Amino acid sequence: MGYAIYLAQRGDRHVSAKPLKGLGSGVLEVVSDHRGDTFRSVYTVRYVDRVFVLHAFQKKSKSGIATPKANVELIKQRLKRAVEISKRKG
């Protein structure tokens, strides 16, 4: 996951990074499996000069692939905050 974020900072995209549905363009998700557990990182590349990591979490649900609603709401809040930060000057 760290390497995927590094590539995003360089303007590249990791082969496993995919758009997170429902949040518009420029919001990507990387999924990693480790010892039977699944981990996800969500970040945005909407801004030329920075990458915002919006959330990183372990997926707990054993059924379905959808991102849990609570996590989606948190990501939306953080995306809104990223927009505010990016509008600041200096």
Side-chain angles (χ1 to χ4, degrees):
M1 289 188 176
Y3 184 63
I5 302 298
Y6 167 74
L7 288 177
Q9 290 173 322
R10 292 185 35 178
D12 295 325
R13 184 172 168 180
H14 193 274
V15 294
S16 67
K18 62 180 182 176
L20 185 61
K21 295 178 182 177
L23 294 175
S25 66
V27 178
L28 302 168
E29 174 182 51
V30 177
V31 177
S32 178
D33 293 319
H34 180 70
R35 296 184 179 177
D37 293 319
T38 300
F39 300 87
R40 295 180 176 192
S41 291
V42 178
Y43 61 95
T44 184
V45 293
R46 289 182 179 173
Y47 310 100
V48 175
D49 60 339
R50 61 189 82 179
V51 172
F52 287 99
V53 176
L54 303 172
H55 194 31
F57 60 99
Q58 179 180 1
K59 183 165 183 319
K60 301 282 187 170
S61 173
K62 300 298 179 189
S63 62
I65 61 171
T67 304
K69 188 173 183 174
N71 286 319
V72 172
E73 291 305 316
L74 181 59
I75 292 165
K76 286 179 180 179
Q77 289 174 1
R78 291 178 176 172
L79 183 58
K80 187 182 291 188
R81 182 73 176 125
V83 170
E84 293 169 5
I85 291 170
S86 70
K87 289 181 180 178
R88 288 189 207 157
K89 301 213 182 214

Coordinates of all heavy atoms in Angstrom, one line a residue:
M1 N 0.8 -1.2 0.0 CA 0.0 0.0 0.0 C 0.9 1.3 0.0 O 0.5 2.2 -0.7 CB -0.9 0.0 1.2 CG -2.0 -1.0 1.1 SD -3.2 -0.8 2.4 CE -4.4 -2.0 2.0
G2 N 1.9 1.2 0.8 CA 2.8 2.4 0.8 C 3.4 2.7 -0.6 O 3.6 3.8 -1.0
Y3 N 3.8 1.6 -1.3 CA 4.3 1.8 -2.6 C 3.3 2.4 -3.6 O 3.6 3.3 -4.4 CB 4.8 0.5 -3.2 CG 5.5 0.6 -4.5 CD1 6.7 1.4 -4.6 CD2 5.0 0.0 -5.6 CE1 7.3 1.5 -5.9 CE2 5.6 0.1 -6.9 CZ 6.8 0.9 -7.0 OH 7.4 1.0 -8.2
A4 N 2.0 2.0 -3.4 CA 1.0 2.6 -4.3 C 0.8 4.1 -4.0 O 0.6 4.9 -4.9 CB -0.4 1.9 -4.0
I5 N 0.9 4.5 -2.7 CA 0.8 5.9 -2.4 C 2.0 6.6 -2.9 O 1.9 7.7 -3.5 CB 0.7 6.1 -0.8 CG1 -0.5 5.4 -0.3 CG2 0.7 7.6 -0.5 CD1 -1.8 5.8 -0.8
Y6 N 3.2 6.0 -2.8 CA 4.4 6.6 -3.4 C 4.3 6.9 -4.9 O 4.6 8.0 -5.4 CB 5.6 5.7 -3.1 CG 6.8 6.1 -3.9 CD1 7.6 7.2 -3.6 CD2 7.3 5.3 -4.9 CE1 8.7 7.5 -4.3 CE2 8.4 5.6 -5.7 CZ 9.1 6.7 -5.3 OH 10.2 7.0 -6.1
L7 N 3.8 5.9 -5.6 CA 3.6 6.1 -7.0 C 2.6 7.2 -7.3 O 2.8 8.0 -8.2 CB 3.1 4.8 -7.6 CG 4.1 3.6 -7.8 CD1 3.4 2.4 -8.3 CD2 5.3 4.0 -8.6
A8 N 1.5 7.3 -6.5 CA 0.6 8.4 -6.7 C 1.2 9.7 -6.5 O 1.0 10.7 -7.3 CB -0.6 8.2 -5.7
Q9 N 2.1 9.8 -5.5 CA 2.8 11.1 -5.3 C 3.7 11.5 -6.5 O 3.9 12.6 -6.8 CB 3.7 11.0 -4.1 CG 2.9 10.9 -2.8 CD 3.8 10.7 -1.6 OE1 4.7 9.9 -1.6 NE2 3.5 11.3 -0.5
R10 N 4.2 10.5 -7.2 CA 5.0 10.7 -8.4 C 4.2 10.9 -9.7 O 4.7 11.2 -10.7 CB 5.9 9.5 -8.6 CG 7.0 9.3 -7.6 CD 7.9 8.2 -7.9 NE 8.1 8.2 -9.4 CZ 8.9 7.3 -10.0 NH1 9.6 6.5 -9.3 NH2 9.0 7.3 -11.3
G11 N 2.9 10.8 -9.5 CA 2.0 11.0 -10.7 C 1.7 9.7 -11.4 O 1.1 9.7 -12.5
D12 N 2.1 8.6 -10.9 CA 1.9 7.3 -11.5 C 0.7 6.6 -10.8 O 0.2 7.1 -9.8 CB 3.1 6.4 -11.4 CG 4.3 7.0 -12.2 OD1 4.0 7.6 -13.3 OD2 5.4 6.8 -11.8
R13 N 0.4 5.4 -11.2 CA -0.7 4.6 -10.6 C -0.3 3.2 -10.5 O 0.1 2.6 -11.5 CB -2.0 4.8 -11.5 CG -3.2 4.1 -10.9 CD -4.4 4.5 -11.8 NE -5.5 3.7 -11.4 CZ -6.7 3.8 -12.0 NH1 -6.9 4.7 -13.0 NH2 -7.7 3.0 -11.6
H14 N -0.5 2.7 -9.3 CA -0.2 1.2 -9.1 C -1.2 0.4 -9.9 O -2.3 0.8 -10.0 CB -0.3 1.0 -7.6 CG 0.3 -0.3 -7.2 ND1 -0.5 -1.5 -7.2 CD2 1.5 -0.7 -6.7 CE1 0.3 -2.5 -6.8 NE2 1.5 -2.0 -6.5
V15 N -0.7 -0.8 -10.3 CA -1.6 -1.6 -11.1 C -2.8 -2.1 -10.3 O -3.9 -2.4 -11.0 CB -0.8 -2.9 -11.7 CG1 0.2 -2.4 -12.6 CG2 -0.2 -3.7 -10.5
S16 N -2.8 -2.2 -9.0 CA -3.9 -2.6 -8.3 C -4.8 -1.5 -7.8 O -5.8 -1.7 -7.1 CB -3.5 -3.5 -7.1 OG -2.8 -2.7 -6.1
A17 N -4.4 -0.2 -8.0 CA -5.3 0.9 -7.6 C -6.5 1.0 -8.6 O -6.4 0.9 -9.8 CB -4.5 2.2 -7.7
K18 N -7.7 1.2 -8.0 CA -8.9 1.3 -8.8 C -9.8 2.4 -8.2 O -9.7 2.7 -7.0 CB -9.6 -0.1 -8.8 CG -10.1 -0.5 -7.5 CD -10.8 -1.8 -7.5 CE -11.3 -2.2 -6.1 NZ -12.1 -3.4 -6.1
P19 N -10.6 3.0 -9.1 CA -11.5 4.0 -8.6 C -12.5 3.5 -7.5 O -13.0 2.3 -7.7 CB -12.3 4.4 -9.8 CG -11.4 4.0 -11.0 CD -10.7 2.8 -10.5
L20 N -12.7 4.3 -6.5 CA -13.7 3.9 -5.5 C -15.1 4.4 -6.0 O -15.2 5.6 -6.1 CB -13.4 4.5 -4.1 CG -14.3 4.0 -3.0 CD1 -14.2 2.5 -2.8 CD2 -13.8 4.7 -1.7
K21 N -16.0 3.6 -6.2 CA -17.3 4.0 -6.8 C -18.1 4.9 -5.9 O -18.0 4.7 -4.7 CB -18.1 2.7 -7.1 CG -17.5 1.9 -8.2 CD -18.3 0.6 -8.5 CE -17.6 -0.2 -9.5 NZ -18.3 -1.5 -9.7
G22 N -18.7 5.8 -6.5 CA -19.6 6.7 -5.8 C -19.0 8.0 -5.2 O -19.7 8.8 -4.6
L23 N -17.7 8.1 -5.4 CA -17.0 9.3 -4.9 C -16.4 10.2 -5.9 O -15.7 11.2 -5.6 CB -16.0 8.9 -3.8 CG -16.5 8.3 -2.6 CD1 -15.4 7.8 -1.7 CD2 -17.4 9.2 -1.8
G24 N -16.7 9.9 -7.2 CA -16.2 10.8 -8.3 C -14.8 10.4 -8.7 O -14.2 9.5 -8.1
S25 N -14.4 11.1 -9.7 CA -13.0 10.8 -10.2 C -11.9 11.2 -9.3 O -12.1 12.2 -8.5 CB -12.9 11.5 -11.6 OG -12.8 12.9 -11.4
G26 N -10.8 10.6 -9.4 CA -9.7 10.9 -8.6 C -9.6 10.4 -7.2 O -8.7 10.7 -6.4
V27 N -10.6 9.5 -6.8 CA -10.6 8.9 -5.5 C -10.3 7.4 -5.8 O -11.1 6.7 -6.4 CB -11.9 9.0 -4.7 CG1 -11.8 8.3 -3.4 CG2 -12.1 10.5 -4.5
L28 N -9.2 6.9 -5.3 CA -8.7 5.5 -5.6 C -8.6 4.7 -4.4 O -8.4 5.2 -3.3 CB -7.4 5.6 -6.3 CG -7.4 6.4 -7.6 CD1 -5.9 6.7 -8.0 CD2 -8.1 5.7 -8.7
E29 N -8.7 3.4 -4.6 CA -8.6 2.4 -3.5 C -7.6 1.4 -3.9 O -7.5 0.9 -5.0 CB -10.0 1.8 -3.3 CG -10.0 0.6 -2.3 CD -11.3 0.0 -2.2 OE1 -11.9 -0.4 -3.2 OE2 -11.8 -0.1 -1.1
V30 N -6.8 1.0 -2.9 CA -5.8 -0.1 -3.0 C -6.2 -1.2 -2.0 O -6.4 -0.8 -0.8 CB -4.4 0.3 -2.8 CG1 -3.4 -0.8 -2.9 CG2 -4.0 1.4 -3.8
V31 N -6.3 -2.4 -2.4 CA -6.7 -3.5 -1.5 C -5.5 -4.4 -1.4 O -4.9 -4.8 -2.4 CB -7.9 -4.3 -2.1 CG1 -8.3 -5.4 -1.2 CG2 -9.1 -3.3 -2.2
S32 N -5.2 -4.9 -0.2 CA -4.1 -5.8 0.0 C -4.6 -6.9 1.0 O -5.3 -6.7 2.0 CB -3.0 -5.1 0.7 OG -1.9 -5.9 1.0
D33 N -4.3 -8.1 0.6 CA -4.6 -9.3 1.5 C -3.3 -9.7 2.2 O -2.2 -9.8 1.5 CB -5.1 -10.4 0.6 CG -6.5 -10.1 0.1 OD1 -7.3 -9.5 0.8 OD2 -6.7 -10.4 -1.1
H34 N -3.4 -10.0 3.5 CA -2.3 -10.5 4.2 C -2.7 -11.4 5.3 O -3.6 -11.1 6.1 CB -1.6 -9.3 4.9 CG -0.4 -9.6 5.7 ND1 0.8 -10.1 5.2 CD2 -0.2 -9.6 7.1 CE1 1.7 -10.3 6.1 NE2 1.1 -10.0 7.3
R35 N -2.2 -12.7 5.2 CA -2.5 -13.7 6.1 C -4.0 -13.9 6.4 O -4.5 -14.0 7.5 CB -1.8 -13.5 7.5 CG -0.3 -13.5 7.3 CD 0.3 -13.4 8.7 NE 1.8 -13.4 8.5 CZ 2.6 -13.3 9.5 NH1 2.2 -13.0 10.7 NH2 3.9 -13.4 9.2
G36 N -4.8 -13.8 5.3 CA -6.2 -14.1 5.4 C -7.1 -12.9 5.7 O -8.3 -12.9 5.8
D37 N -6.4 -11.7 6.0 CA -7.2 -10.5 6.2 C -7.0 -9.6 5.0 O -6.1 -9.6 4.3 CB -6.6 -9.8 7.5 CG -6.8 -10.6 8.8 OD1 -7.9 -11.1 8.9 OD2 -5.9 -10.6 9.6
T38 N -8.0 -8.7 4.9 CA -8.0 -7.7 3.8 C -7.9 -6.3 4.3 O -8.6 -6.0 5.3 CB -9.3 -7.9 3.0 OG1 -9.4 -9.2 2.4 CG2 -9.4 -6.9 1.8
F39 N -7.0 -5.5 3.7 CA -6.8 -4.2 4.2 C -7.0 -3.3 3.0 O -6.8 -3.6 1.8 CB -5.4 -4.0 4.7 CG -5.1 -4.9 5.9 CD1 -4.6 -6.2 5.7 CD2 -5.3 -4.4 7.2 CE1 -4.4 -7.0 6.8 CE2 -5.1 -5.2 8.3 CZ -4.6 -6.5 8.1
R40 N -7.5 -2.1 3.2 CA -7.8 -1.1 2.2 C -7.3 0.3 2.5 O -7.3 0.7 3.7 CB -9.3 -1.0 1.9 CG -10.0 -2.2 1.4 CD -11.5 -2.0 1.3 NE -12.1 -3.2 0.7 CZ -13.3 -3.3 0.2 NH1 -14.0 -2.2 0.2 NH2 -13.7 -4.4 -0.3
S41 N -6.8 1.0 1.5 CA -6.4 2.4 1.7 C -7.1 3.1 0.6 O -7.2 2.7 -0.6 CB -4.9 2.5 1.5 OG -4.2 2.0 2.5
V42 N -7.6 4.3 1.0 CA -8.3 5.2 0.0 C -7.6 6.5 0.0 O -7.3 7.1 1.1 CB -9.8 5.3 0.4 CG1 -10.5 6.2 -0.5 CG2 -10.5 4.0 0.5
Y43 N -7.4 7.0 -1.2 CA -6.7 8.3 -1.3 C -7.2 9.0 -2.5 O -7.9 8.5 -3.4 CB -5.2 8.1 -1.4 CG -4.7 7.2 -2.6 CD1 -4.3 7.9 -3.8 CD2 -4.7 5.9 -2.6 CE1 -3.9 7.1 -4.9 CE2 -4.3 5.1 -3.6 CZ -3.9 5.7 -4.8 OH -3.5 5.0 -5.9
T44 N -6.9 10.3 -2.6 CA -7.3 11.1 -3.7 C -6.1 11.8 -4.4 O -5.2 12.2 -3.7 CB -8.4 12.2 -3.3 OG1 -8.8 12.9 -4.5 CG2 -7.8 13.2 -2.3
V45 N -6.2 11.8 -5.7 CA -5.2 12.4 -6.5 C -5.8 13.6 -7.3 O -5.3 13.9 -8.4 CB -4.5 11.4 -7.5 CG1 -3.7 10.4 -6.7 CG2 -5.5 10.7 -8.4
R46 N -6.8 14.2 -6.8 CA -7.5 15.3 -7.5 C -6.7 16.5 -7.6 O -6.9 17.4 -8.4 CB -8.8 15.6 -6.8 CG -9.9 14.6 -6.9 CD -11.1 15.0 -6.3 NE -12.2 14.0 -6.4 CZ -13.4 14.1 -5.8 NH1 -13.6 15.1 -5.0 NH2 -14.2 13.1 -6.1
Y47 N -5.6 16.6 -6.8 CA -4.8 17.8 -6.7 C -3.4 17.6 -7.2 O -2.8 16.6 -6.8 CB -4.8 18.3 -5.2 CG -6.2 18.4 -4.7 CD1 -6.7 17.4 -3.9 CD2 -7.1 19.4 -5.1 CE1 -8.0 17.4 -3.4 CE2 -8.4 19.4 -4.7 CZ -8.9 18.4 -3.8 OH -10.2 18.4 -3.4
V48 N -2.9 18.4 -8.0 CA -1.7 18.2 -8.7 C -0.5 18.2 -7.7 O 0.4 17.4 -7.9 CB -1.4 19.4 -9.7 CG1 -0.1 19.3 -10.4 CG2 -2.5 19.4 -10.8
D49 N -0.6 19.0 -6.7 CA 0.6 19.1 -5.8 C 0.6 18.3 -4.5 O 1.4 18.3 -3.7 CB 0.7 20.6 -5.4 CG -0.5 21.1 -4.7 OD1 -1.6 20.6 -4.8 OD2 -0.3 22.1 -4.0
R50 N -0.5 17.4 -4.4 CA -0.5 16.6 -3.2 C -1.4 15.4 -3.3 O -2.3 15.4 -4.1 CB -0.9 17.4 -2.0 CG -2.3 18.0 -2.1 CD -2.6 19.0 -1.0 NE -2.0 20.3 -1.3 CZ -2.1 21.4 -0.6 NH1 -2.7 21.4 0.5 NH2 -1.5 22.5 -1.0
V51 N -1.2 14.4 -2.5 CA -2.0 13.2 -2.4 C -2.6 13.2 -1.0 O -1.8 13.3 0.0 CB -1.2 11.9 -2.7 CG1 -2.1 10.7 -2.4 CG2 -0.7 11.9 -4.1
F52 N -3.9 13.1 -0.8 CA -4.5 13.0 0.5 C -4.9 11.5 0.7 O -5.7 11.0 -0.1 CB -5.8 13.8 0.6 CG -5.6 15.3 0.7 CD1 -5.7 16.1 -0.5 CD2 -5.3 15.9 1.9 CE1 -5.5 17.5 -0.4 CE2 -5.1 17.3 1.9 CZ -5.2 18.0 0.8
V53 N -4.4 10.9 1.8 CA -4.8 9.6 2.2 C -6.0 9.8 3.0 O -6.0 10.5 4.1 CB -3.7 8.8 2.9 CG1 -4.3 7.5 3.4 CG2 -2.5 8.6 2.0
L54 N -7.2 9.3 2.6 CA -8.4 9.6 3.2 C -8.8 8.6 4.3 O -9.4 8.9 5.3 CB -9.6 9.7 2.2 CG -9.3 10.7 1.1 CD1 -10.4 10.5 0.0 CD2 -9.3 12.1 1.6
H55 N -8.4 7.4 4.1 CA -8.7 6.3 5.1 C -7.9 5.1 4.8 O -7.6 4.8 3.7 CB -10.2 6.0 5.1 CG -10.7 5.3 6.2 ND1 -10.2 5.3 7.5 CD2 -11.8 4.4 6.3 CE1 -10.9 4.6 8.3 NE2 -11.9 4.0 7.6
A56 N -7.5 4.4 5.9 CA -6.9 3.0 5.7 C -7.6 2.2 6.8 O -7.7 2.6 8.0 CB -5.4 3.1 5.9
F57 N -8.0 1.0 6.4 CA -8.7 0.2 7.4 C -8.7 -1.3 7.0 O -8.3 -1.6 5.9 CB -10.2 0.6 7.5 CG -10.9 0.6 6.2 CD1 -11.8 -0.5 5.9 CD2 -10.8 1.6 5.3 CE1 -12.5 -0.5 4.7 CE2 -11.5 1.6 4.1 CZ -12.4 0.5 3.8
Q58 N -9.0 -2.1 8.0 CA -9.1 -3.6 7.7 C -10.5 -3.9 7.5 O -11.4 -3.5 8.2 CB -8.6 -4.4 9.0 CG -8.7 -5.9 8.8 CD -8.3 -6.6 10.0 OE1 -7.8 -6.0 11.0 NE2 -8.3 -7.9 9.9
K59 N -10.8 -4.6 6.4 CA -12.2 -5.0 6.1 C -12.5 -6.2 7.0 O -11.8 -7.2 6.9 CB -12.3 -5.4 4.6 CG -13.7 -5.7 4.2 CD -13.9 -5.7 2.8 CE -15.3 -6.0 2.3 NZ -16.1 -6.9 3.0
K60 N -13.6 -6.0 7.7 CA -14.0 -7.1 8.7 C -15.0 -8.0 8.1 O -15.1 -9.2 8.5 CB -14.5 -6.4 10.0 CG -13.5 -5.5 10.7 CD -12.5 -6.3 11.4 CE -11.7 -5.4 12.3 NZ -10.8 -6.1 13.2
S61 N -15.9 -7.5 7.3 CA -17.0 -8.3 6.8 C -16.5 -9.5 5.9 O -15.6 -9.3 5.1 CB -17.9 -7.5 5.9 OG -18.9 -8.3 5.3
K62 N -17.0 -10.6 6.2 CA -16.6 -11.8 5.4 C -17.5 -12.0 4.2 O -17.2 -12.9 3.3 CB -16.6 -13.1 6.3 CG -15.7 -13.0 7.5 CD -14.3 -12.9 7.1 CE -13.4 -12.8 8.3 NZ -12.0 -12.5 8.0
S63 N -18.6 -11.3 4.1 CA -19.5 -11.4 2.9 C -19.6 -10.1 2.2 O -19.6 -9.0 2.8 CB -20.9 -11.9 3.4 OG -21.4 -10.9 4.2
G64 N -19.5 -10.2 0.9 CA -19.6 -9.0 0.1 C -18.3 -8.3 -0.1 O -17.4 -8.4 0.7
I65 N -18.2 -7.5 -1.1 CA -17.0 -6.7 -1.3 C -17.2 -5.2 -1.1 O -16.3 -4.4 -1.2 CB -16.5 -6.9 -2.8 CG1 -17.5 -6.5 -3.8 CG2 -16.1 -8.4 -3.0 CD1 -17.0 -6.5 -5.2
A66 N -18.5 -4.8 -0.8 CA -18.8 -3.4 -0.7 C -18.1 -2.8 0.5 O -17.9 -3.5 1.6 CB -20.3 -3.2 -0.5
T67 N -17.7 -1.6 0.4 CA -17.1 -0.8 1.5 C -18.2 -0.5 2.5 O -19.2 0.0 2.1 CB -16.4 0.5 1.0 OG1 -15.4 0.1 0.0 CG2 -15.7 1.2 2.1
P68 N -17.9 -0.8 3.8 CA -19.0 -0.6 4.8 C -19.4 0.9 4.8 O -18.6 1.8 4.6 CB -18.3 -1.0 6.1 CG -17.3 -2.0 5.7 CD -16.8 -1.5 4.4
K69 N -20.7 1.1 5.1 CA -21.2 2.5 5.0 C -20.5 3.4 5.9 O -20.3 4.6 5.6 CB -22.7 2.4 5.3 CG -23.5 3.7 5.1 CD -25.0 3.5 5.3 CE -25.7 4.9 5.0 NZ -27.1 4.7 5.0
A70 N -20.2 3.0 7.1 CA -19.5 3.9 8.1 C -18.2 4.4 7.5 O -17.8 5.5 7.7 CB -19.3 3.2 9.4
N71 N -17.5 3.5 6.8 CA -16.2 3.8 6.2 C -16.4 4.8 5.1 O -15.6 5.8 4.9 CB -15.4 2.6 5.8 CG -14.9 1.8 6.9 OD1 -14.3 2.4 7.9 ND2 -15.0 0.5 6.9
V72 N -17.4 4.6 4.3 CA -17.7 5.5 3.2 C -18.0 6.9 3.7 O -17.6 7.9 3.2 CB -18.9 5.0 2.3 CG1 -19.3 6.0 1.3 CG2 -18.5 3.7 1.6
E73 N -18.8 7.0 4.8 CA -19.2 8.3 5.3 C -17.9 9.0 5.9 O -17.8 10.2 5.7 CB -20.2 8.1 6.4 CG -21.6 7.7 5.9 CD -22.1 8.6 4.9 OE1 -22.0 9.9 5.0 OE2 -22.7 8.1 3.8
L74 N -17.0 8.3 6.5 CA -15.8 8.8 7.0 C -14.9 9.3 5.8 O -14.4 10.4 5.9 CB -15.0 7.8 7.8 CG -13.7 8.3 8.5 CD1 -13.9 9.5 9.4 CD2 -13.1 7.1 9.2
I75 N -14.9 8.6 4.8 CA -14.1 9.0 3.6 C -14.7 10.2 3.0 O -13.9 11.2 2.6 CB -14.1 7.8 2.6 CG1 -13.2 6.7 3.1 CG2 -13.5 8.3 1.2 CD1 -13.4 5.3 2.4
K76 N -16.0 10.3 2.9 CA -16.7 11.5 2.4 C -16.3 12.8 3.2 O -16.0 13.8 2.7 CB -18.2 11.3 2.3 CG -18.6 10.4 1.2 CD -20.1 10.3 1.2 CE -20.6 9.4 0.1 NZ -22.1 9.2 0.1
Q77 N -16.4 12.6 4.5 CA -16.0 13.7 5.4 C -14.6 14.2 5.2 O -14.3 15.4 5.1 CB -16.2 13.3 6.9 CG -17.6 13.1 7.3 CD -17.7 12.6 8.8 OE1 -16.7 12.4 9.4 NE2 -18.9 12.4 9.2
R78 N -13.7 13.2 5.1 CA -12.3 13.5 4.9 C -12.0 14.1 3.5 O -11.1 15.0 3.4 CB -11.4 12.3 5.2 CG -11.4 11.9 6.7 CD -10.6 10.7 7.0 NE -10.6 10.5 8.4 CZ -10.1 9.4 8.9 NH1 -9.6 8.4 8.2 NH2 -10.2 9.2 10.2
L79 N -12.8 13.7 2.5 CA -12.6 14.2 1.2 C -13.1 15.7 1.2 O -12.4 16.6 0.6 CB -13.4 13.4 0.2 CG -13.3 13.9 -1.3 CD1 -11.9 13.8 -1.8 CD2 -14.2 13.0 -2.1
K80 N -14.1 16.0 1.9 CA -14.6 17.4 2.0 C -13.6 18.2 2.7 O -13.3 19.4 2.3 CB -15.9 17.4 2.8 CG -16.6 18.8 2.9 CD -17.8 18.8 3.7 CE -18.9 18.0 3.1 NZ -20.2 18.1 3.8
R81 N -12.9 17.7 3.7 CA -11.9 18.4 4.4 C -10.6 18.6 3.5 O -10.0 19.7 3.6 CB -11.5 17.7 5.7 CG -10.4 18.3 6.5 CD -11.0 19.5 7.2 NE -9.9 20.1 8.1 CZ -9.5 21.3 8.0 NH1 -10.1 22.2 7.2 NH2 -8.6 21.7 8.8
A82 N -10.3 17.6 2.7 CA -9.2 17.8 1.8 C -9.5 18.9 0.8 O -8.6 19.7 0.4 CB -9.0 16.4 1.0
V83 N -10.7 19.0 0.3 CA -11.1 20.1 -0.6 C -10.9 21.5 0.1 O -10.3 22.4 -0.5 CB -12.6 20.0 -1.0 CG1 -13.1 21.2 -1.7 CG2 -12.8 18.8 -1.9
E84 N -11.3 21.6 1.4 CA -11.1 22.8 2.1 C -9.6 23.1 2.3 O -9.2 24.3 2.0 CB -11.7 22.7 3.5 CG -13.2 22.6 3.5 CD -13.7 22.3 4.9 OE1 -13.0 22.2 5.9 OE2 -15.0 22.1 5.0
I85 N -8.8 22.2 2.6 CA -7.3 22.4 2.8 C -6.7 22.8 1.4 O -5.9 23.7 1.4 CB -6.7 21.1 3.3 CG1 -7.1 20.8 4.7 CG2 -5.2 21.1 3.2 CD1 -6.7 19.5 5.3
S86 N -7.1 22.1 0.3 CA -6.5 22.4 -1.0 C -6.8 23.8 -1.4 O -6.1 24.4 -2.2 CB -6.9 21.4 -2.0 OG -8.3 21.6 -2.3
K87 N -7.9 24.4 -0.9 CA -8.3 25.8 -1.3 C -7.5 26.9 -0.6 O -7.5 28.0 -1.0 CB -9.8 26.0 -1.1 CG -10.7 25.2 -2.1 CD -12.1 25.5 -1.9 CE -13.0 24.7 -2.8 NZ -14.4 24.9 -2.6
R88 N -6.9 26.5 0.5 CA -6.1 27.5 1.3 C -4.9 28.0 0.4 O -4.3 27.2 -0.3 CB -5.6 26.9 2.5 CG -6.6 26.7 3.6 CD -5.9 26.3 4.9 NE -6.8 25.5 5.7 CZ -6.4 24.6 6.6 NH1 -5.1 24.5 6.8 NH2 -7.2 23.9 7.3
K89 N -4.6 29.2 0.6 CA -3.4 29.7 -0.1 C -2.2 29.6 0.9 O -2.3 29.8 2.0 CB -3.6 31.2 -0.4 CG -4.8 31.3 -1.3 CD -4.6 32.4 -2.3 CE -5.9 32.5 -3.1 NZ -5.8 32.9 -4.3
G90 N -1.0 29.3 0.3 CA 0.2 29.2 1.0 C 0.3 28.0 1.8 O 1.1 27.6 2.5

